[in-house]
Amino acid sequence: MAVSKETINTIAQLARLEFREEEKARFGQQFEQIIEYFNALEAINLDGVEPLKTILDADINVFREDEVKREITTVEALSNAPKHNGVFFKVPKVIG
Amino acid sequence: MASELLGTKYEAVIGLEVHAQLLTKSKIFCGDSTEFGLPPNTNISPLSLGHPGTLPVLNKEVVEYSICMGLATNCSIRPISLFARKHYFYPDLPKGYQISQFDEPICYDGYVEIELDTKGDGSKTQRIGITRIHIEEDAGKSIHDLDIDTLVDLNRAGVALIEIVSEPDIRTAQEAVAYLTQIRQTLLYLGICDGNMEEGSFRCDANVSIRPIGQKEFGTKAEVKNMNSFRNVEKAIEHEIERQIGIVESGGAVVQETRGWDAGSQTTKPQRSKEQAHDYRYFPEPDLPPIRVPQVWLDEIRSRLPELGLQRKRRFVRDFGLPGYDAGILTQEQSLAQYFEDASAALSEKTTDRYKLVSNWIMTDVMRILSEKKITANELTLPPAYIAEMADLLASEMISSKIAKEIFPEVLEGKSPKKVVEERGLMQVSDNSFIIEIVEALLSENPDEVGRYREGKKSLMGFFVGQALKNTQGKANPKIVTKLLQERLDA
């Protein structure tokens, strides 16, 4: 199954990535291979099989109580950021 | 004008999406505080920053609160509901996806009743369907206008929200406001959201379309955002309806888009959306197990639900004989309603007249003080029993309404009305012999007015009563004064 250039552009846009033309061609081929791989599933008869939405089907809830816990400081939080001003994370201008 | 065609040629179809921040102490999936107004990036942790290796654990209170709202809006509650990932890239969403619910929200198929009559007597009500209520996490805040870069504050990222989605049952901007008022009041009565539109803990988006009256199919809708007050919701929807009628009337077609209300120009303007493609690629959240709501838990939550606003309003009309208008105002907010009930319980005689007096005092002077001091009734130092005393003194004609007004400032300072009246000797005088003296002196001092009255100028009665009251510093019982004056003048 061929993956159109349009699909590749859409995927790039959703992932906020920019591809060069030769990359698009290469990714197109790779996407096709991935889809083909999953197409093998089409061969399986799934009549009457419910979609599996969770594998955590134990009959219990996993909750935490509503308690405040202070884990890290602002300084620690910002320390991994490529850009910050000591108070805010800074990212390239996004128009709101 | 396009607005004249609304209701004659076109009708509007409106559905509202309300986001309500839940009043939990900690965030939905981790222990970060939810306190508002702290310095940026204070309420954060590896999880809310979206660091690899962190795993969400659901706050139990969030589930309870959501179920409360579902039950209060007549929803069915799903015994098993799931979380889903909603993907989009934006700097205020560190993980690159929002944990939300998609095809199996916790609450579905409910309704609220709204009252549309102008008198507030509940003579015209309408049901607005609730499609669903789902649980999700809030995003952080991006600030675009303080720096050449965009600044990101993640204090709000991961605060618990419920999104309440209405059916497209709403037809006018006024109905939208009535619905919103009802939803907000219910959240406040349940104590699960503070309903603050300015601070953004209660937000509303509107899906608005128009269609020719009689047409079943919906028109193309626009989603209107950025309305941060009830007044703005009303104005934005009115404007949007008019804009769409204008387009259709001039032969155009409405475009499906997101528009933002611009309070400056009082119009809606196209908004650049966060995700142009609107392809959220939902899939089941693998990091969280399903929420299970067994019947016993549901029953237990149901048994704890408080009486809600509309029920309380109707009880006030039924049990206290109050006009619907009064009952509506008194039950707008829970602590005010409680204040009324506490005052009523302290009355020495439980009569409709006295309940109405209590209502009058609360709706005028008490509410004025509340809005001046920006406090709620439970923060008021004036004990409700003093309002009852005022009503008792008035109803038993111990004081006139003029004296009541006069002593109120002292009562406000924390003095019992009875004490003030006694100390200042303001007890209304109903002693005939004393009043006869005053009345007779008055008539002999004003022979001209007496003459004119007897010639037919009956309106002078007001003058005589006023003078008599003045001569007794307002203490004479006006009914007795009037009666004695009539006996003498009309004889």
Side-chain angles (χ1 to χ4, degrees):
Chain A
M1 198 177 93
V3 177
S4 70
K5 205 169 207 173
E6 238 169 71
T7 307
I8 293 168
N9 287 339
T10 307
I11 291 166
Q13 148 75 21
L14 288 171
R16 295 290 185 274
L17 293 172
E18 280 173 29
F19 296 151
R20 290 190 303 276
E21 280 309 308
E22 68 264 28
E23 282 176 320
K24 282 183 191 169
R26 195 168 80 237
F27 287 138
Q29 282 171 4
Q30 291 179 353
F31 288 174
E32 270 166 42
Q33 283 168 12
I34 294 167
I35 291 168
E36 240 165 70
Y37 181 76
F38 279 94
N39 276 345
L41 294 172
E42 298 283 339
I44 306 165
N45 181 1
L46 294 174
D47 291 349
V49 178
E50 284 294 307
L52 180 71
K53 290 181 174 171
T54 176
I55 52 162
L56 303 160
D57 60 355
D59 199 16
I60 48 155
N61 281 310
V62 182
F63 292 142
R64 37 175 283 273
E65 293 303 315
D66 183 25
E67 284 158 8
V68 174
K69 221 168 82 187
R70 188 80 188 263
E71 289 184 49
I72 55 168
T73 63
T74 305
V75 173
E76 286 172 311
L78 295 170
S79 65
N80 287 312
K83 212 172 172 189
H84 64 82
N85 65 6
V87 184
F88 288 102
F89 293 95
K90 293 177 82 165
V91 297
K93 185 75 119 194
V94 186
I95 298 159
Chain B
M1 215 27 208
S3 54
E4 287 156 18
L5 298 172
L6 181 66
T8 54
K9 189 169 173 189
Y10 297 99
E11 68 172 359
V13 176
I14 303 160
L16 296 183
E17 290 170 12
V18 171
H19 282 92
Q21 245 179 37
L22 298 180
L23 278 177
T24 52
K25 294 191 276 293
S26 66
K27 290 184 181 175
I28 180 168
F29 298 124
C30 66
D32 299 358
S33 167
T34 55
E35 194 181 335
F36 184 80
L38 293 185
N41 297 305
T42 308
N43 299 338
I44 36 81
S45 61
L47 185 119
S48 53
L49 298 176
H51 282 207
T54 54
L55 281 173
V57 186
L58 180 59
N59 184 336
K60 185 181 180 187
E61 202 86 312
V62 171
V63 183
E64 295 228 346
Y65 284 2
S66 310
I67 295 171
C68 279
M69 190 57 183
L71 293 175
T73 53
N74 310 291
C75 284
S76 302
I77 311 296
R78 258 199 185 77
I80 299 179
S81 70
L82 287 167
F83 284 102
R85 290 185 180 181
K86 176 180 177 177
H87 298 84
Y88 64 92
F89 279 121
Y90 205 74
D92 59 21
L93 187 74
K95 296 191 300 301
Y97 58 85
Q98 178 191 30
I99 301 180
S100 180
Q101 294 192 295
F102 185 49
D103 53 356
E104 295 180 35
I106 186 156
C107 314
Y108 62 101
D109 266 359
Y111 66 88
V112 291
E113 234 178 311
I114 57 170
E115 296 193 331
L116 295 168
D117 55 283
T118 45
K119 282 175 288 171
D121 61 1
S123 57
K124 192 176 170 218
T125 63
Q126 196 188 322
R127 275 188 186 189
I128 306 293
I130 306 266
T131 315
R132 56 187 280 154
I133 300 175
H134 67 253
I135 302 172
E136 62 186 25
E137 57 179 338
D138 210 343
K141 218 167 88 183
S142 348
I143 301 159
H144 307 287
D145 51 5
L146 283 184
D147 196 282
I148 36 163
D149 289 319
T150 289
L151 304 177
V152 182
D153 170 14
L154 295 175
N155 279 350
R156 206 180 62 183
V159 170
L161 295 177
I162 49 175
E163 179 174 337
I164 305 154
V165 182
S166 89
E167 289 286 299
D169 290 345
I170 300 164
R171 293 287 168 272
T172 66
Q174 291 69 39
E175 284 176 30
V177 170
Y179 166 81
L180 216 52
T181 306
Q182 194 60 51
I183 291 290
R184 182 172 176 275
Q185 188 193 51
T186 303
L187 290 164
L188 291 176
Y189 264 73
L190 294 171
I192 62 174
C193 171
D194 66 16
N196 190 327
M197 271 189 119
E198 283 78 35
E199 287 179 6
S201 53
F202 182 83
R203 317 195 274 271
C204 170
D205 301 332
N207 288 306
V208 180
S209 64
I210 56 155
R211 64 182 171 192
I213 289 173
Q215 180 183 305
K216 275 198 175 140
E217 297 77 34
F218 294 138
T220 306
K221 68 180 179 189
E223 186 176 6
V224 184
K225 292 177 178 273
N226 198 33
M227 305 170 287
N228 62 356
S229 71
F230 280 72
R231 186 79 195 103
N232 280 345
V233 169
E234 189 172 358
K235 286 197 285 190
I237 292 174
E238 274 173 357
H239 170 269
E240 183 57 24
I241 293 169
E242 198 159 312
R243 187 188 72 87
Q244 293 186 12
I245 292 176
I247 290 173
V248 174
E249 276 294 300
S250 59
V254 176
V255 183
Q256 179 157 357
E257 62 182 345
T258 304
R259 301 179 67 86
W261 171 246
D262 180 55
S265 66
Q266 300 277 299
T267 56
T268 62
K269 290 178 173 169
Q271 259 191 345
R272 196 163 336 161
S273 80
K274 283 187 177 182
E275 183 67 64
Q276 283 149 334
H278 274 300
D279 181 354
Y280 291 128
R281 292 149 291 149
Y282 280 100
F283 68 71
E285 167 58 84
D287 286 347
L288 284 159
I291 306 170
R292 291 165 195 276
V293 186
Q295 192 61 41
V296 279
W297 193 18
L298 204 57
D299 292 342
E300 192 260 320
I301 294 173
R302 198 191 300 273
S303 73
R304 281 192 278 123
L305 283 186
E307 180 187 38
L308 297 170
L310 201 55
Q311 295 167 329
R312 200 169 197 175
K313 176 188 169 182
R314 288 174 182 166
R315 180 167 60 81
F316 276 20
V317 171
R318 197 176 59 235
D319 293 359
F320 298 109
L322 291 181
Y325 176 80
D326 290 41
I329 289 187
L330 293 172
T331 55
Q332 265 170 9
E333 192 265 320
Q334 225 164 357
S335 71
L336 190 69
Q338 193 55 49
Y339 194 86
F340 171 82
E341 293 209 50
D342 292 345
S344 297
L347 285 169
S348 69
E349 271 178 52
K350 311 274 189 289
T351 64
T352 307
D353 287 352
R354 293 194 187 196
Y355 293 137
K356 177 65 179 137
L357 282 172
V358 169
S359 164
N360 289 349
W361 277 99
I362 293 178
M363 290 202 304
T364 53
D365 296 81
V366 172
M367 285 182 70
R368 179 176 46 78
I369 293 156
L370 294 180
S371 78
E372 275 171 13
K373 295 190 173 172
K374 292 192 169 56
I375 55 172
T376 51
N378 52 345
E379 297 168 277
L380 201 63
T381 48
L382 174 68
Y386 286 2
I387 299 295
E389 258 181 45
M390 297 280 281
D392 282 335
L393 288 167
L394 266 169
S396 57
E397 299 190 346
M398 305 276 274
I399 57 170
S400 63
S401 52
K402 183 172 171 289
I403 296 284
K405 281 267 174 214
E406 207 177 299
I407 63 167
F408 194 64
E410 264 184 85
V411 175
L412 261 184
E413 284 164 21
K415 277 193 181 170
S416 133
K418 267 186 199 153
K419 264 224 176 82
V420 178
V421 167
E422 276 163 23
E423 277 175 17
R424 292 178 46 186
L426 295 172
M427 209 61 93
Q428 181 158 269
V429 178
S430 300
D431 172 4
N432 278 12
S433 59
F434 170 73
I435 300 177
I436 287 171
E437 238 174 77
I438 301 275
V439 163
E440 289 187 341
L442 181 69
L443 294 181
S444 62
E445 281 161 23
N446 296 283
D448 291 353
E449 281 78 6
V450 172
R452 274 160 55 209
Y453 180 90
R454 288 196 171 125
E455 281 159 24
K457 196 159 169 34
K458 300 290 180 197
S459 61
L460 277 169
M461 181 54 83
F463 163 79
F464 290 120
V465 174
Q467 286 297 312
L469 291 180
K470 195 177 149 202
N471 294 347
T472 60
Q473 287 82 44
K475 286 187 286 183
N477 182 333
K479 274 189 206 158
I480 296 175
V481 170
T482 310
K483 189 171 145 269
L484 291 172
L485 278 164
Q486 276 167 347
E487 279 170 13
R488 276 154 189 79
L489 288 165
D490 295 338

